[in-house]
Amino acid sequence: MAGIEEVARLAGVSTATVSRALSGNGHVSPTTRERVQAAAAELGYVVSSNASSLASGRTRNVGVVVPFLSRWYFSSVVDGAEAALLSKGYDLTLYNLSGGEEPRRSVFEHFLLRKRVDAVIAVALELTDDEVKRLLDIHKPMVGIGGPIPGVRTLTLDDVAVAQLATEHLISLGHTQIAHVGGAVELDLDFHLGSTRRRGFERAMHEANLPIRDDLYQPADFTINGGYAAGKQLLGRPYDRPTAIFAASDEMAIGCLLAARDLGLSVPRDVSIVGIDDHELAEFFGLTTVAQFPRQQGELAVDVLMGELMPDAGAPAALDTELPFQLIVRSSTARPAEADARPSSVF
Amino acid sequence: MAGIEEVARLAGVSTATVSRALSGNGHVSPTTRERVQAAAAELGYVVSSNASSLASGRTRNVGVVVPFLSRWYFSSVVDGAEAALLSKGYDLTLYNLSGGEEPRRSVFEHFLLRKRVDAVIAVALELTDDEVKRLLDIHKPMVGIGGPIPGVRTLTLDDVAVAQLATEHLISLGHTQIAHVGGAVELDLDFHLGSTRRRGFERAMHEANLPIRDDLYQPADFTINGGYAAGKQLLGRPYDRPTAIFAASDEMAIGCLLAARDLGLSVPRDVSIVGIDDHELAEFFGLTTVAQFPRQQGELAVDVLMGELMPDAGAPAALDTELPFQLIVRSSTARPAEADARPSSVF
DNA sequence: ATGAAAGCGCTAACAC
DNA sequence: GTGTTAGCGCTTTCAT
């Protein structure tokens, strides 16, 4: 556990020079820099981040706050952010809010305030005004993913457009009886995915002059299990069965797919299914989906943050950035089997 | 951003007393304690963790190192650890090694050494002697999950026993032609799950005097996809088809299950399938499995660590703790369909 | 039980 | 380009 002083002595310079040489801040002649680096290496010297932070006011650490961790989307975002941060010499301190109200309060009232982090990334979180205020008061750069959070730089996915795209894919194939498996309203807490995506679905239907039938809507909870139950309901009906299902997440879509199989229906011959996310299992199941790219979202959030933390080179990124998405057509969607009445049909 | 001095002034005491009152170290009269706490609350004072760490040598932060994050097992462990740490006032700094050799080196050579963490939890990691030495040299408590890591306190799952239990479940049902979908040897890097679990399988077969047939072994990569391919191979053969499959992970077991379905085989009538983990999808698929409890593993690791960090009350935990596991029988296993020749049969 | 004061190990002016 | 020095905001002896 060598300290900066020993390095300085070994290199024959002052501690200030060691600091400059190792951090890259301030000018040091190439020769001394090398001497210092050699000395540091020899002694196995690593700066004490605490001392450094205390003196400089920078921690080289960012807090990432997520509402869940053990779900594909969130762990992927964190994964991407971690890799990006690591490569820039930053640490990632994780705050998981899934514990309930109590932990959530303590995260915002204590943990994030104790100057352990330079900035925070909030993933799919709806922060209260008070929470935002606390963080901004403290003068910490912050970026939200999935927001939007008022007053905070956010990366947002246009969920309405995403859902609309998925639905339009089905419509363009000639489907008219399209069911929607969406988020249950009770789950609409932090991220309004449920209602936003439903809006996109309805917009697409509306623009295509297709009726939106209440009986073709099934709420679920974003899990495979929930999607399975919803799919059974939708596909088990004796008449007027939908020819296609748009599920608001891949996990629910996979549930529908398995429900169809268990009912003896063939996908996509009897029913087309499309989801959202491009979940790690989507390819395996041949699921057509609108991909969002969670790893990249995490990386992008870090880029934006770095732009704020080192205000020199960076373009002053827009306050609100749209995240990319992309329709990925696999084998779960096709034209409906029946003779279709689609006017623009080429047949 | 009030400092300790302002709190001291408002409470009419010295900074030393404020420190003692707020941290609970050292004696303070109940009345002063309350005055101090009131003052702190009024000013919205939160200690600077850097200053505190620098002065005290404790960071109230633990590093958690994982080889992957976006996999159910790892994110569950981290989830459990995070919750446990948060409740004790600790932060969790995450290090993900999945980036490759370069990031791995920098994690061990710089990140973990800069005194940002009091302790480290290594999940399913095989550390090199050098890596272990680095960490122990630095005098940081450390606990491994899944190890064992020589010289480090570890929580280990007896993978041989787990695999043996799963296999014995099949044997006790009367199966004799049991296939094994195990980890490919190439993947045997950090955690030797593949070979250890295979050993358990072989032991069970051996003890039951059942032959271990090479043609009933299929390597895979611990994914659903890989399990699916392996299952197809195993179940697609025209004769001598196994009546049961033991897969070394639930994800592979689920893959086998789906492969069976796609071949028109019924589970468990035509083939029984058992996995390991109790993955979040296991229940949905009715998969019989040997559960391990990753969230609890994370929590337990924190408990052990706390015992080391506050050496007062804690019993001096054993150097190596066995993790619990449990057979959970669902609907993917049953007696083989054919008239069985099992000697101990009650029929 | 409380206060005074000496650091913890660095960084950032400021001189030279 | 490099050295000197004054802190950063706490914790912790050591007195009292």
Side-chain angles (χ1 to χ4, degrees), chain A residues 266-320:
Chain A
S266 157
V267 175
R269 191 163 46 78
D270 299 318
V271 56
S272 285
I273 297 175
V274 57
I276 291 182
D277 274 350
D278 201 25
H279 188 278
E280 53 178 346
L281 292 176
E283 179 155 22
F284 174 75
F285 284 105
L287 184 66
T288 294
T289 190
V290 178
Q292 60 173 324
F293 307 93
R295 263 195 69 96
Q296 282 83 328
Q297 292 175 9
E299 292 170 3
L300 186 56
V302 171
D303 285 350
V304 172
L305 230 39
M306 290 300 147
E308 302 230 334
L309 291 175
M310 315 161 180
D312 40 282
L319 193 67
D320 208 282

Side-chain angles (χ1 to χ4, degrees), chain B residues 23-105:
Chain B
S23 71
N25 296 33
H27 287 213
V28 180
S29 81
T31 21
T32 13
R33 158 167 288 113
E34 278 181 30
R35 270 224 315 291
V36 170
Q37 285 171 337
E42 183 176 335
L43 296 172
Y45 170 76
V46 178
V47 296
S48 154
S49 59
N50 291 313
S52 171
S53 301
L54 183 56
S56 70
R58 284 173 263 101
T59 64
R60 303 208 132 239
N61 186 24
V62 347
V64 173
V65 190
V66 296
F68 302 99
L69 185 61
S70 51
R71 286 203 193 173
W72 173 78
Y73 174 78
F74 296 101
S75 58
S76 299
V77 172
V78 173
D79 198 351
E82 204 273 344
L85 287 169
L86 197 70
S87 77
K88 297 202 158 45
Y90 275 68
D91 286 324
L92 183 159
T93 294
L94 184 69
Y95 299 99
N96 181 349
L97 264 27
S98 65
E101 268 315 305
E102 231 306 88
R104 176 171 184 140
R105 264 232 319 293

Side-chain angles (χ1 to χ4, degrees), chain B:
Chain B
M1 279 301 76
I4 198 174
E5 209 138 342
E6 306 172 50
V7 178
R9 214 174 305 135
L10 181 57
V13 295
S14 72
T15 61
T17 301
V18 172
S19 173
R20 286 189 280 250
L22 262 28
S23 71
N25 296 33
H27 287 213
V28 180
S29 81
T31 21
T32 13
R33 158 167 288 113
E34 278 181 30
R35 270 224 315 291
V36 170
Q37 285 171 337
E42 183 176 335
L43 296 172
Y45 170 76
V46 178
V47 296
S48 154
S49 59
N50 291 313
S52 171
S53 301
L54 183 56
S56 70
R58 284 173 263 101
T59 64
R60 303 208 132 239
N61 186 24
V62 347
V64 173
V65 190
V66 296
F68 302 99
L69 185 61
S70 51
R71 286 203 193 173
W72 173 78
Y73 174 78
F74 296 101
S75 58
S76 299
V77 172
V78 173
D79 198 351
E82 204 273 344
L85 287 169
L86 197 70
S87 77
K88 297 202 158 45
Y90 275 68
D91 286 324
L92 183 159
T93 294
L94 184 69
Y95 299 99
N96 181 349
L97 264 27
S98 65
E101 268 315 305
E102 231 306 88
R104 176 171 184 140
R105 264 232 319 293
S106 73
V107 164
F108 284 98
E109 293 183 5
H110 298 293
F111 286 78
L112 287 175
L113 306 185
R114 52 182 174 184
K115 302 197 170 159
R116 201 194 277 294
V117 300
D118 285 339
V120 357
I121 296 176
V123 186
L125 240 35
E126 177 135 332
L127 303 181
T128 66
D129 289 349
D130 186 55
E131 286 165 347
V132 172
K133 187 169 172 310
R134 268 207 154 73
L135 293 176
L136 293 181
D137 270 4
I138 217 177
H139 196 71
K140 276 193 203 325
M142 187 170 163
V143 9
I145 297 180
I149 305 171
V152 172
R153 194 179 297 299
T154 43
L155 311 179
T156 60
L157 185 66
D158 185 343
D159 279 299
V160 174
V162 166
Q164 188 171 349
L165 175 58
T167 310
E168 284 171 347
H169 168 64
L170 295 172
I171 294 173
S172 78
L173 285 170
H175 291 276
T176 55
Q177 303 204 45
I178 305 177
H180 177 44
V181 174
V185 179
E186 313 87 79
L187 296 171
D188 230 27
L189 356 114
D190 258 13
F191 34 148
H192 298 191
L193 283 188
S195 26
T196 329
R197 292 185 177 172
R198 185 174 184 178
R199 213 149 61 236
F201 166 73
E202 290 175 350
R203 179 178 299 176
M205 294 296 276
H206 192 75
E207 291 184 359
N209 279 316
L210 259 21
I212 294 162
R213 287 167 43 189
D214 278 353
D215 62 321
L216 290 186
Y217 170 76
Q218 277 287 333
D221 62 356
F222 284 90
T223 67
I224 291 188
N225 213 340
Y228 182 84
K232 276 282 176 86
Q233 281 309 110
L234 251 12
L235 299 173
R237 52 177 61 194
Y239 51 85
D240 230 17
R241 202 177 63 212
T243 63
I245 298 178
F246 159 51
S249 83
D250 278 359
E251 305 202 45
M252 295 194 292
I254 289 168
C256 290
L257 216 137
L258 294 168
R261 283 193 197 177
D262 284 359
L263 287 168
L265 297 174
S266 158
V267 175
R269 192 162 47 78
D270 299 318
V271 57
S272 284
I273 297 175
V274 57
I276 291 181
D277 274 351
D278 200 24
H279 188 278
E280 52 178 348
L281 292 176
E283 179 156 22
F284 175 75
F285 284 105
L287 184 67
T288 293
T289 190
V290 179
Q292 61 173 321
F293 307 93
R295 262 194 69 96
Q296 282 84 327
Q297 291 177 8
E299 291 169 3
L300 186 56
V302 171
D303 285 350
V304 172
L305 230 39
M306 290 300 146
E308 302 230 335
L309 291 176
M310 315 162 181
D312 41 281
L319 193 67
D320 208 283
T321 311
E322 285 289 335
L323 292 168
F325 56 88
Q326 183 187 342
L327 177 67
I328 296 185
V329 183
R330 297 199 178 93
S331 54
S332 69
T333 49
R335 294 176 69 84
E338 276 87 333
D340 72 270
R342 195 152 150 275
S344 66
S345 168
V346 291
F347 300 111

Side-chain angles (χ1 to χ4, degrees), chain A:
Chain A
M1 277 304 76
I4 198 174
E5 210 139 340
E6 304 173 52
V7 178
R9 213 173 307 135
L10 182 57
V13 296
S14 72
T15 62
T17 301
V18 172
S19 173
R20 286 189 282 250
L22 261 28
S23 70
N25 296 34
H27 287 215
V28 181
S29 80
T31 22
T32 24
R33 157 167 287 115
E34 279 181 29
R35 270 222 316 292
V36 171
Q37 285 171 337
E42 184 175 336
L43 297 173
Y45 170 77
V46 178
V47 296
S48 154
S49 58
N50 291 314
S52 171
S53 300
L54 184 56
S56 69
R58 282 173 265 99
T59 64
R60 302 208 133 240
N61 185 25
V62 347
V64 173
V65 189
V66 296
F68 303 99
L69 184 60
S70 51
R71 286 203 193 172
W72 173 79
Y73 173 78
F74 296 101
S75 58
S76 299
V77 171
V78 173
D79 198 353
E82 203 274 344
L85 286 169
L86 195 71
S87 77
K88 298 202 155 51
Y90 275 70
D91 285 325
L92 182 158
T93 294
L94 184 69
Y95 299 98
N96 181 349
L97 264 25
S98 65
E101 268 314 305
E102 230 307 89
R104 176 171 183 142
R105 263 232 318 293
S106 74
V107 164
F108 284 98
E109 292 183 5
H110 298 292
F111 286 77
L112 288 176
L113 306 184
R114 52 182 174 184
K115 300 195 169 163
R116 201 194 277 295
V117 300
D118 285 341
V120 356
I121 295 177
V123 187
L125 239 35
E126 177 136 329
L127 303 181
T128 65
D129 289 349
D130 186 54
E131 286 165 348
V132 172
K133 187 168 173 310
R134 270 206 153 72
L135 293 175
L136 293 181
D137 270 4
I138 216 176
H139 195 72
K140 276 192 200 329
M142 187 173 164
V143 8
I145 298 181
I149 304 171
V152 173
R153 196 179 295 299
T154 44
L155 311 178
T156 60
L157 185 67
D158 185 343
D159 278 299
V160 174
V162 166
Q164 187 172 350
L165 175 59
T167 310
E168 284 170 347
H169 169 64
L170 295 173
I171 294 174
S172 79
L173 284 170
H175 291 277
T176 55
Q177 302 203 46
I178 306 176
H180 176 45
V181 174
V185 178
E186 313 86 80
L187 295 171
D188 229 28
L189 359 111
D190 259 13
F191 34 147
H192 299 191
L193 284 187
S195 26
T196 330
R197 290 184 179 172
R198 185 174 184 177
R199 213 149 61 234
F201 166 72
E202 291 176 349
R203 179 179 296 177
M205 294 296 275
H206 192 76
E207 290 183 0
N209 277 318
L210 258 22
I212 295 160
R213 287 167 41 191
D214 278 352
D215 63 319
L216 290 186
Y217 169 74
Q218 277 287 333
D221 62 358
F222 285 92
T223 68
I224 291 188
N225 212 339
Y228 181 84
K232 276 280 177 85
Q233 280 308 109
L234 252 11
L235 299 173
R237 52 175 64 193
Y239 50 86
D240 229 19
R241 202 177 63 214
T243 63
I245 298 178
F246 158 52
S249 84
D250 278 359
E251 305 202 46
M252 295 195 291
I254 289 167
C256 289
L257 216 137
L258 294 168
R261 283 194 196 176
D262 283 359
L263 286 169
L265 297 174
S266 157
V267 175
R269 191 163 46 78
D270 299 318
V271 56
S272 285
I273 297 175
V274 57
I276 291 182
D277 274 350
D278 201 25
H279 188 278
E280 53 178 346
L281 292 176
E283 179 155 22
F284 174 75
F285 284 105
L287 184 66
T288 294
T289 190
V290 178
Q292 60 173 324
F293 307 93
R295 263 195 69 96
Q296 282 83 328
Q297 292 175 9
E299 292 170 3
L300 186 56
V302 171
D303 285 350
V304 172
L305 230 39
M306 290 300 147
E308 302 230 334
L309 291 175
M310 315 161 180
D312 40 282
L319 193 67
D320 208 282
T321 311
E322 284 290 335
L323 291 167
F325 56 88
Q326 185 189 341
L327 178 67
I328 297 185
V329 182
R330 297 200 178 93
S331 52
S332 68
T333 49
R335 294 177 68 85
E338 278 85 334
D340 72 89
R342 194 154 149 274
S344 64
S345 167
V346 291
F347 300 111

